[in-house]
Amino acid sequence: MHRLSEREWLAYKQKNKDRARMLISCEDRAGIVAAVSNFLFAQGANIVQSDQYTTDPETGRFFMRIEFDLVNLADRLEGLKDAFWPIAENYGMEWYLVEAKKRKKVAIFVSKEDHCLLELLWRWKSGELHADIAVVISNHEDMRETVESFGIPYHCIPVTKENKAEAEEAQLAAAQGVDLIILARYMQILSPRFLEDYAMRIINIHHSFLPAFVGAKPYEQAYRRGVKLIGATAHYVTEELDAGPIIEQDVQRVSHQEDVEMLKQLGRQVERTVLARAVGWHLEDRVLEYGNKTIVFP
Amino acid sequence: MHRLSEREWLAYKQKNKDRARMLISCEDRAGIVAAVSNFLFAQGANIVQSDQYTTDPETGRFFMRIEFDLVNLADRLEGLKDAFWPIAENYGMEWYLVEAKKRKKVAIFVSKEDHCLLELLWRWKSGELHADIAVVISNHEDMRETVESFGIPYHCIPVTKENKAEAEEAQLAAAQGVDLIILARYMQILSPRFLEDYAMRIINIHHSFLPAFVGAKPYEQAYRRGVKLIGATAHYVTEELDAGPIIEQDVQRVSHQEDVEMLKQLGRQVERTVLARAVGWHLEDRVLEYGNKTIVFP
Amino acid sequence: MHRLSEREWLAYKQKNKDRARMLISCEDRAGIVAAVSNFLFAQGANIVQSDQYTTDPETGRFFMRIEFDLVNLADRLEGLKDAFWPIAENYGMEWYLVEAKKRKKVAIFVSKEDHCLLELLWRWKSGELHADIAVVISNHEDMRETVESFGIPYHCIPVTKENKAEAEEAQLAAAQGVDLIILARYMQILSPRFLEDYAMRIINIHHSFLPAFVGAKPYEQAYRRGVKLIGATAHYVTEELDAGPIIEQDVQRVSHQEDVEMLKQLGRQVERTVLARAVGWHLEDRVLEYGNKTIVFP
Amino acid sequence: MHRLSEREWLAYKQKNKDRARMLISCEDRAGIVAAVSNFLFAQGANIVQSDQYTTDPETGRFFMRIEFDLVNLADRLEGLKDAFWPIAENYGMEWYLVEAKKRKKVAIFVSKEDHCLLELLWRWKSGELHADIAVVISNHEDMRETVESFGIPYHCIPVTKENKAEAEEAQLAAAQGVDLIILARYMQILSPRFLEDYAMRIINIHHSFLPAFVGAKPYEQAYRRGVKLIGATAHYVTEELDAGPIIEQDVQRVSHQEDVEMLKQLGRQVERTVLARAVGWHLEDRVLEYGNKTIVFP
């Protein structure tokens, strides 16, 4: 399958060749914006976009996302980081500085349902998903042919009650070095240890309803209650199942005419859109996490 | 306050002067549509719109909504009903036949929050809500001036733990003869006896989230979880609190920037829209109830 | 690439094995619904869903869509049609009767942009698009590899000013016998003769804005005007370019932050969703055309 | 009619008692953010939110919106402005600094349709619209009673071809000193001179479709074309009719079932929502204008 994305990607790289992104969070305090912008000005950077948000003035937490251009960014990045350390230390900042054109490496986990996986592959192939898909990992063989036809390695690692620990070892090995794990309808629970390794770097997608239906067969429950909206939520994975910080949500209108199968089909459409949006924002370094919430910068 | 609605209402009445609406539900069986349409044809009626839905072919339940025109409908309505009885009996139908131009009588219950009440009053005044608002009943005095300025009677019936039974008696007396009760942010629970009197004729509105937040202060919980959508659900009231058949739902997009107050304000906007839509559909006899679901005919 | 759709399709066929769909339009007149439903009852059919709409009572036009089950439908279909002719003639009906499980044959026309094509292929492969894609026809070679990887024949028929007539001959030959042509971003204008052959059986997709921007580079115009919504319209193709009966429309929210490239990318997302929805409704025989409008039955 | 808003407004004032908003636009240049944030830091201000956008790095235009808290803001505002002048001059800034708690004065213009007016009055009364409605001006008497029942002065200034100039004089006198004029379905064209006085401070609302329908009776045209979405656009008024910078747009789904009257009714619902949102953003100083576009800060 030929790569449509090459031209798009070259255009993207050209546009972003000296573009950096910086994410900062710390306790709020007067002077932070001044300190950061003075630093960038002194380095010769030109701020292209900057957004800042404080949870609660004076006692709250401060969040900032900056995009700036700096001539010869690639060569100067390490020096820039070194120079910023004193400021970061002074304000007790958590921070992150990255070239915009650097593609993140991602691993996609999938079980048997292909709709979310295919949406990601499709956007990747069309150049809309700015990432390198290093590997697709599954507990089943079903998606091998599809994935490999995109030229992407496929690891099938079956998971049973007995081999859970070794299976996770194998997964971690296969995903070695990735920046983000996407659970594209991966139906296995990950262990606390796994989650710790990838804290706030695992994105999951699941169906959502108003109200939520607890327990098995949620679409059947939603059908019986006659809901008029079905939705999906993309969130970072934390130890409490399906309760991590929400990145994105959306809904689709339904009526009494849709049977359970149609509800599921429409649910799949929402899931793939919501997951792709959440992943896109993460890859553009737009999402910061705080408490059990996210700040999604525009 | 002058009545803008008079002209609109006259146009509506003129357009609908010989228009009837018929709702039917029964066990599905071959020949129902033929029997009903033969009957109407024989009576000289012209079917303007008809929609039909079967939950499950052969073993399911059949639902039908018909709008038809019949010359001199008002004079002929009772005769029409008498003539239909044998067919209804034959098929074991629950059915309902009404003049489209007949305005239903409604009572609105409200506590202290005015947003849903005002939306209904506003649509009523502009001629968009085809109903007679017979009375507004509240457990507080707060809305009296507003309601009376629309020329609508206002009954303040305080409710306490001690007087609950008598208060409901007074409410039932004040609402005597109404076709529909709208709980426009009425914060008291109605007794089973009250609900029985108005089965499927009480519409309530409440906030909804994906997922739902159980317990007190839902907006605070939604804020802490960082939801990206807040919504509202309008439903018929049944004994199980907030679990009756859903008529309509909608959502509004929010972000990390909205504080709890803003979430509540946006929630109020969704609530008033969703309630007004659900009430409008009920008044146009578009909603049928089955199991714990609704059929909302287009 | 293995076929995921097989299982889905078998389930669909099983569910619809004796299901028929009937579309009727004629001048409105009392007794039509009775005549049709008597006929179906006499034949032993069970009406599963029926929707009816009249543009304007008494002087208007009548439209009806019926789904019914009839034992051994496949064997009885021709007899059913023969038996219906006298009724159809009596009321001057245009009508159409088809097995629900019969897959329509479609041809997809594409130029260089792949987003709409891929959405259709993707839904087809997942069993959501109930059609046989007989052929993909393009004026360029670009999509060959992609299309053939789905096991679908690809015809590249270059179109120039000089060879336009022959090219259309070749297209008509390649599309021989299809029920529907989908223009999935096909950037050539079809001749009146071509359109006549496929009247109301060619669906096109194009971008739409509020307000519309006439002339070249509409996304650039929309960007300069700072629109907050971009949309797409799927419609049947008629001689007046982009002015045929609308089947479906939708929009996507944008802001000042999106540059022209981002607007186009978001526009592509809307286009593929809207086209897929419109095609799905057409394949389920939900769309009737009248004047320059469509009736889309629920 | 009692004022529900008092409590809400007090809470708002308390929360915003020392809160300022600053809007800046100028040619982009390195160091702007540093200069502004240094200034605010030196003054003892704490930046609560700041958003910045550059149309095109290096050659483009820079836009910034800052919210900050400063102890005793009211007393210090003039001194703050004086101190900022040198920086503003150095960078060639257009800028604007205002207390968040200061309510803007608005005049609402209306003709005979009341839906947009009532939405604004309703939000104002409930404390959601942070403005003082100084006056409602109309070319008709129809809304007097409604407006006066809210305790707001009503000026009826009839407009004819002959008296247009004097009428505008009277309007300008009645609107003397307002910060914003809202055309809430005001059906008269304002003269260039009038527009100049209130450049980017007049907001209009009008219906919008995909595509736009030029000429008279747009709803009738939209009905004949069978559109599936109807919308509304709120924009600043410029000399070219209905072509000023767009602030907000939204749409509502419709079907073949809605007749022209229903389309208009649904159009009114969209119009009032879109206008209220646009006005709210303007009042919170979120909207900047550039070329023929707006920057709407989140």
Side-chain angles (χ1 to χ4, degrees):
Chain A
M1 203 171 266
H2 66 173
R3 292 291 173 77
L4 292 167
S5 59
E6 232 31 65
R7 198 193 45 187
E8 308 267 347
W9 180 243
L10 283 171
Y12 180 84
K13 274 206 297 196
Q14 184 53 33
K15 182 176 147 199
N16 288 284
K17 72 180 167 54
D18 284 330
R19 177 80 40 99
R21 294 187 201 126
M22 195 169 187
L23 289 176
I24 294 169
S25 91
C26 61
E27 292 309 306
D28 192 27
R29 196 167 123 192
I32 306 174
V33 179
V36 174
S37 49
N38 282 335
F39 168 79
L40 290 174
F41 181 50
Q43 297 285 336
N46 191 31
I47 298 177
V48 174
Q49 187 185 347
S50 111
D51 293 281
Q52 180 250 311
Y53 171 74
T54 308
T55 52
D56 193 22
E58 298 181 36
T59 63
R61 193 156 180 91
F62 169 95
F63 301 92
M64 192 173 200
R65 179 183 187 274
I66 308 172
E67 293 204 6
F68 61 85
D69 284 346
L70 180 65
V71 178
N72 293 327
L73 177 69
D75 297 341
R76 299 190 49 196
L77 193 68
E78 288 314 307
L80 206 63
K81 287 180 178 176
D82 291 345
F84 190 69
W85 267 114
I87 294 169
E89 214 141 300
N90 186 28
Y91 286 94
M93 289 173 179
E94 294 176 38
W95 63 290
Y96 172 79
L97 175 57
V98 72
E99 287 181 88
K101 73 167 191 285
K102 185 167 181 295
R103 282 204 271 205
K104 288 183 179 51
K105 278 179 70 176
V106 310
I108 302 176
F109 281 46
V110 69
S111 289
K112 294 189 159 192
E113 286 188 89
D114 66 346
H115 56 286
C116 288
L117 172 67
L118 281 170
E119 181 74 20
L120 294 171
L121 294 178
W122 185 88
R123 294 204 185 197
W124 172 77
K125 198 173 96 61
S126 73
E128 290 178 19
L129 196 79
H130 297 135
D132 285 324
I133 303 181
V135 61
V136 172
I137 294 170
S138 178
N139 50 338
H140 296 284
E141 277 292 344
D142 304 52
M143 299 295 129
R144 179 180 296 281
E145 198 177 339
T146 300
V147 170
E148 291 181 348
S149 78
F150 282 85
I152 295 170
Y154 186 85
H155 284 240
C156 177
I157 303 173
V159 181
T160 62
K161 265 187 199 158
E162 292 71 32
N163 82 339
K164 183 129 191 157
E166 300 105 275
E168 280 203 348
E169 284 308 316
Q171 290 169 344
L172 286 168
Q176 182 73 32
V178 305
D179 302 296
L180 175 68
I181 288 175
I182 305 169
L183 305 185
R185 303 298 295 153
Y186 180 67
M187 309 311 282
Q188 297 285 327
I189 292 169
L190 300 172
S191 73
R193 194 221 132 178
F194 196 114
L195 298 182
E196 208 175 307
D197 275 22
Y198 283 94
M200 298 306 137
R201 292 187 296 135
I202 307 177
I203 296 178
N204 188 31
I205 181 75
H206 68 85
H207 50 72
S208 298
F209 306 93
L210 318 80
F213 296 100
V214 180
K217 297 191 175 271
Y219 278 99
E220 279 76 359
Q221 291 188 62
Y223 174 76
R224 278 201 299 276
R225 180 76 199 281
V227 297
K228 305 303 183 192
L229 295 175
I230 57 171
T233 297
H235 63 97
Y236 288 117
V237 179
T238 55
E239 284 204 33
E240 194 183 341
L241 198 64
D242 292 343
I246 294 168
I247 306 169
E248 170 64 340
Q249 305 185 296
D250 210 345
V251 292
Q252 164 75 35
R253 191 160 281 276
V254 298
S255 84
H256 61 272
Q257 289 199 325
E258 275 85 28
D259 59 17
V260 174
E261 281 316 306
M262 274 300 297
L263 291 188
K264 288 180 181 172
Q265 182 174 316
L266 291 167
R268 288 194 292 267
Q269 308 290 354
V270 193
E271 282 179 3
R272 61 191 184 109
T273 309
V274 169
L275 178 61
R277 249 189 252 146
V279 166
W281 294 340
H282 179 98
L283 293 175
E284 292 170 347
D285 303 302
R286 299 193 178 282
V287 193
L288 273 167
E289 181 269 342
Y290 172 61
N292 199 33
K293 309 173 54 164
T294 62
I295 318 294
V296 181
F297 282 112
Chain B
M1 203 172 266
H2 67 173
R3 293 291 172 76
L4 292 166
S5 59
E6 233 30 68
R7 198 194 44 187
E8 309 267 347
W9 181 242
L10 284 171
Y12 179 84
K13 274 205 300 195
Q14 185 53 34
K15 181 176 148 199
N16 289 283
K17 74 181 167 52
D18 283 332
R19 176 80 40 99
R21 294 187 201 126
M22 194 168 188
L23 290 176
I24 293 169
S25 90
C26 60
E27 292 310 307
D28 191 27
R29 196 167 124 192
I32 306 175
V33 180
V36 174
S37 49
N38 282 335
F39 168 78
L40 290 174
F41 181 51
Q43 297 285 336
N46 191 31
I47 297 177
V48 175
Q49 186 185 348
S50 110
D51 295 282
Q52 180 249 311
Y53 171 74
T54 307
T55 53
D56 192 22
E58 297 181 37
T59 63
R61 194 158 178 90
F62 169 95
F63 300 93
M64 191 172 200
R65 180 182 187 274
I66 308 172
E67 294 205 5
F68 61 86
D69 283 347
L70 181 64
V71 177
N72 293 325
L73 177 69
D75 297 342
R76 300 190 47 196
L77 193 68
E78 288 314 307
L80 206 62
K81 287 179 179 174
D82 291 344
F84 191 68
W85 267 114
I87 295 169
E89 215 141 300
N90 185 28
Y91 287 93
M93 291 173 177
E94 293 177 39
W95 64 290
Y96 173 79
L97 175 57
V98 73
E99 286 182 88
K101 74 168 191 283
K102 186 168 180 292
R103 283 204 271 206
K104 289 183 178 48
K105 279 179 70 177
V106 310
I108 302 176
F109 281 46
V110 69
S111 288
K112 292 189 159 191
E113 286 188 88
D114 66 347
H115 56 286
C116 287
L117 172 68
L118 281 169
E119 180 74 20
L120 294 170
L121 295 177
W122 185 89
R123 294 203 184 196
W124 172 77
K125 199 174 95 60
S126 73
E128 289 177 19
L129 196 80
H130 297 135
D132 285 324
I133 302 180
V135 62
V136 173
I137 295 171
S138 179
N139 50 338
H140 296 283
E141 277 291 343
D142 304 53
M143 299 293 130
R144 179 180 297 280
E145 200 176 340
T146 300
V147 171
E148 291 181 349
S149 79
F150 282 84
I152 295 170
Y154 186 86
H155 284 240
C156 178
I157 304 173
V159 181
T160 62
K161 264 186 199 161
E162 292 71 33
N163 82 340
K164 182 129 191 159
E166 300 106 274
E168 279 204 349
E169 285 307 316
Q171 290 170 343
L172 285 169
Q176 181 74 34
V178 304
D179 303 295
L180 175 68
I181 288 175
I182 305 168
L183 305 185
R185 306 295 296 154
Y186 179 67
M187 309 310 282
Q188 298 285 328
I189 291 168
L190 300 172
S191 73
R193 193 221 133 177
F194 196 113
L195 298 182
E196 207 174 309
D197 275 21
Y198 283 94
M200 298 307 136
R201 292 188 295 135
I202 307 178
I203 295 178
N204 188 31
I205 181 76
H206 69 84
H207 50 73
S208 299
F209 305 93
L210 318 81
F213 297 99
V214 180
K217 296 193 176 272
Y219 278 99
E220 279 76 359
Q221 292 188 62
Y223 174 76
R224 279 199 300 274
R225 180 76 199 280
V227 298
K228 306 302 183 192
L229 295 175
I230 57 171
T233 297
H235 63 97
Y236 288 117
V237 179
T238 55
E239 283 203 34
E240 193 183 343
L241 198 65
D242 292 343
I246 294 169
I247 306 169
E248 169 64 339
Q249 305 185 297
D250 212 345
V251 292
Q252 164 75 35
R253 192 159 279 275
V254 298
S255 83
H256 60 271
Q257 290 199 323
E258 274 84 29
D259 61 16
V260 174
E261 281 316 305
M262 274 300 295
L263 291 188
K264 288 180 181 172
Q265 182 175 315
L266 290 168
R268 287 194 292 266
Q269 308 290 354
V270 193
E271 283 179 4
R272 60 191 185 109
T273 308
V274 169
L275 178 61
R277 249 188 251 146
V279 166
W281 293 339
H282 178 98
L283 293 175
E284 291 170 347
D285 303 303
R286 299 193 178 280
V287 193
L288 272 167
E289 182 268 342
Y290 171 61
N292 200 32
K293 311 173 51 164
T294 61
I295 318 295
V296 180
F297 281 112
Chain C
M1 204 172 266
H2 67 173
R3 292 291 173 76
L4 292 167
S5 59
E6 234 28 70
R7 197 193 45 187
E8 309 267 347
W9 180 244
L10 284 171
Y12 179 84
K13 274 205 298 195
Q14 185 53 33
K15 181 175 149 199
N16 289 283
K17 75 181 164 56
D18 283 331
R19 176 81 39 99
R21 294 188 201 125
M22 194 167 187
L23 289 176
I24 294 170
S25 92
C26 60
E27 292 309 305
D28 191 28
R29 198 167 121 191
I32 306 174
V33 179
V36 174
S37 49
N38 282 335
F39 167 78
L40 290 174
F41 181 50
Q43 298 285 336
N46 190 32
I47 297 178
V48 175
Q49 187 185 347
S50 111
D51 293 282
Q52 180 249 313
Y53 171 73
T54 308
T55 54
D56 192 22
E58 297 183 36
T59 64
R61 194 158 179 91
F62 170 94
F63 301 91
M64 191 172 199
R65 180 183 186 275
I66 307 173
E67 294 205 5
F68 61 85
D69 284 346
L70 180 65
V71 176
N72 293 326
L73 177 69
D75 298 341
R76 299 189 49 197
L77 194 68
E78 289 314 307
L80 206 64
K81 286 180 179 176
D82 290 344
F84 191 68
W85 268 113
I87 295 169
E89 215 141 299
N90 185 28
Y91 287 93
M93 289 172 178
E94 294 176 39
W95 64 290
Y96 172 80
L97 175 57
V98 73
E99 286 182 88
K101 74 168 191 284
K102 186 169 181 293
R103 284 204 270 205
K104 288 183 180 51
K105 279 179 69 177
V106 309
I108 303 177
F109 281 47
V110 69
S111 288
K112 293 188 159 193
E113 286 188 88
D114 67 346
H115 56 286
C116 287
L117 172 67
L118 281 169
E119 180 74 21
L120 295 171
L121 295 178
W122 186 88
R123 295 205 184 196
W124 171 77
K125 199 174 94 63
S126 73
E128 290 178 18
L129 196 79
H130 297 136
D132 285 324
I133 303 181
V135 61
V136 173
I137 295 171
S138 178
N139 49 337
H140 296 282
E141 277 291 344
D142 304 53
M143 299 295 128
R144 179 179 297 280
E145 200 178 337
T146 300
V147 170
E148 290 180 349
S149 78
F150 282 84
I152 295 170
Y154 186 84
H155 283 240
C156 178
I157 304 172
V159 181
T160 62
K161 264 185 198 160
E162 291 71 31
N163 81 340
K164 182 129 192 159
E166 300 104 274
E168 279 203 350
E169 284 308 316
Q171 290 170 343
L172 286 169
Q176 183 72 33
V178 305
D179 302 296
L180 175 69
I181 288 174
I182 305 169
L183 306 185
R185 304 298 294 156
Y186 179 67
M187 309 311 280
Q188 298 285 328
I189 291 169
L190 299 172
S191 73
R193 193 220 132 180
F194 196 115
L195 298 182
E196 208 174 305
D197 275 22
Y198 283 94
M200 297 307 136
R201 293 188 294 137
I202 307 177
I203 295 178
N204 187 33
I205 181 74
H206 69 84
H207 50 72
S208 298
F209 305 93
L210 317 81
F213 296 99
V214 180
K217 297 192 175 272
Y219 278 100
E220 279 77 359
Q221 291 188 62
Y223 174 74
R224 278 200 299 277
R225 180 74 200 281
V227 297
K228 305 302 183 193
L229 295 175
I230 57 171
T233 297
H235 63 96
Y236 288 117
V237 179
T238 55
E239 285 204 32
E240 195 183 341
L241 198 65
D242 292 343
I246 295 168
I247 305 168
E248 171 62 339
Q249 305 186 296
D250 211 344
V251 292
Q252 164 75 35
R253 190 160 281 275
V254 298
S255 83
H256 61 273
Q257 289 199 324
E258 274 85 28
D259 61 17
V260 173
E261 281 316 305
M262 275 300 296
L263 292 188
K264 287 180 182 173
Q265 182 174 317
L266 291 167
R268 287 194 292 267
Q269 309 290 355
V270 193
E271 283 178 4
R272 61 192 185 109
T273 309
V274 169
L275 178 61
R277 247 188 253 146
V279 166
W281 294 340
H282 179 98
L283 293 175
E284 291 170 348
D285 304 302
R286 299 194 177 281
V287 193
L288 273 168
E289 181 269 342
Y290 172 60
N292 200 34
K293 311 173 54 165
T294 61
I295 317 296
V296 181
F297 282 111
Chain D
M1 205 171 265
H2 66 172
R3 293 293 173 75
L4 292 167
S5 60
E6 231 33 67
R7 197 194 45 186
E8 309 268 347
W9 181 245
L10 284 171
Y12 180 84
K13 274 205 298 195
Q14 186 52 34
K15 180 176 148 198
N16 289 283
K17 74 181 165 54
D18 284 331
R19 177 79 42 97
R21 293 187 202 127
M22 195 168 188
L23 289 176
I24 294 170
S25 91
C26 61
E27 293 308 306
D28 191 27
R29 199 168 121 191
I32 307 175
V33 179
V36 175
S37 50
N38 281 335
F39 168 78
L40 290 175
F41 181 50
Q43 298 285 335
N46 190 31
I47 297 177
V48 174
Q49 186 185 348
S50 110
D51 294 282
Q52 181 248 312
Y53 171 73
T54 308
T55 53
D56 193 22
E58 297 183 38
T59 63
R61 195 158 178 90
F62 170 95
F63 301 91
M64 192 173 199
R65 180 183 186 274
I66 308 172
E67 294 206 6
F68 62 85
D69 284 345
L70 180 65
V71 177
N72 293 326
L73 177 69
D75 297 342
R76 300 191 46 197
L77 193 68
E78 289 313 308
L80 206 63
K81 285 179 179 176
D82 291 344
F84 190 68
W85 267 114
I87 294 168
E89 215 142 299
N90 185 28
Y91 287 92
M93 290 173 177
E94 293 177 40
W95 64 290
Y96 172 80
L97 175 57
V98 73
E99 287 182 87
K101 74 169 192 284
K102 186 169 180 294
R103 283 204 272 207
K104 289 182 178 51
K105 280 178 70 176
V106 309
I108 302 175
F109 281 46
V110 70
S111 288
K112 292 189 158 190
E113 285 188 88
D114 66 348
H115 57 285
C116 287
L117 172 68
L118 281 170
E119 180 73 22
L120 295 170
L121 294 177
W122 186 87
R123 295 204 185 196
W124 172 77
K125 199 173 94 61
S126 73
E128 291 177 18
L129 196 80
H130 297 136
D132 284 325
I133 302 180
V135 60
V136 173
I137 295 170
S138 178
N139 51 337
H140 296 282
E141 277 292 344
D142 304 53
M143 299 294 129
R144 178 178 299 280
E145 199 177 338
T146 299
V147 170
E148 291 180 350
S149 78
F150 282 84
I152 295 170
Y154 186 86
H155 283 239
C156 178
I157 304 173
V159 180
T160 62
K161 266 185 197 160
E162 292 71 32
N163 83 339
K164 181 126 190 161
E166 300 105 275
E168 280 203 348
E169 284 307 316
Q171 290 170 343
L172 286 169
Q176 182 74 33
V178 304
D179 301 296
L180 175 69
I181 289 175
I182 305 169
L183 305 185
R185 305 296 295 155
Y186 179 67
M187 308 311 281
Q188 298 284 327
I189 292 168
L190 300 172
S191 73
R193 194 221 132 179
F194 196 114
L195 298 182
E196 208 175 306
D197 275 22
Y198 282 93
M200 296 309 136
R201 293 187 296 135
I202 307 178
I203 295 178
N204 188 32
I205 181 75
H206 69 85
H207 50 72
S208 298
F209 305 93
L210 318 82
F213 296 99
V214 180
K217 296 189 174 276
Y219 279 99
E220 280 76 359
Q221 290 188 62
Y223 173 75
R224 278 200 299 275
R225 180 75 199 281
V227 297
K228 306 303 183 192
L229 295 175
I230 57 171
T233 297
H235 63 97
Y236 288 117
V237 179
T238 55
E239 284 203 32
E240 194 182 342
L241 198 64
D242 292 344
I246 294 168
I247 306 169
E248 170 65 338
Q249 305 186 296
D250 211 345
V251 292
Q252 163 76 34
R253 191 161 280 275
V254 298
S255 83
H256 60 273
Q257 289 200 324
E258 273 85 28
D259 60 17
V260 173
E261 280 318 304
M262 275 300 296
L263 291 188
K264 288 180 181 172
Q265 182 175 316
L266 291 167
R268 287 195 292 266
Q269 308 290 354
V270 193
E271 284 179 2
R272 61 192 185 108
T273 309
V274 169
L275 178 61
R277 248 187 253 146
V279 166
W281 293 340
H282 179 98
L283 293 174
E284 291 170 349
D285 303 303
R286 298 192 178 281
V287 193
L288 273 168
E289 181 269 342
Y290 172 60
N292 199 34
K293 310 173 54 164
T294 61
I295 317 296
V296 181
F297 281 112

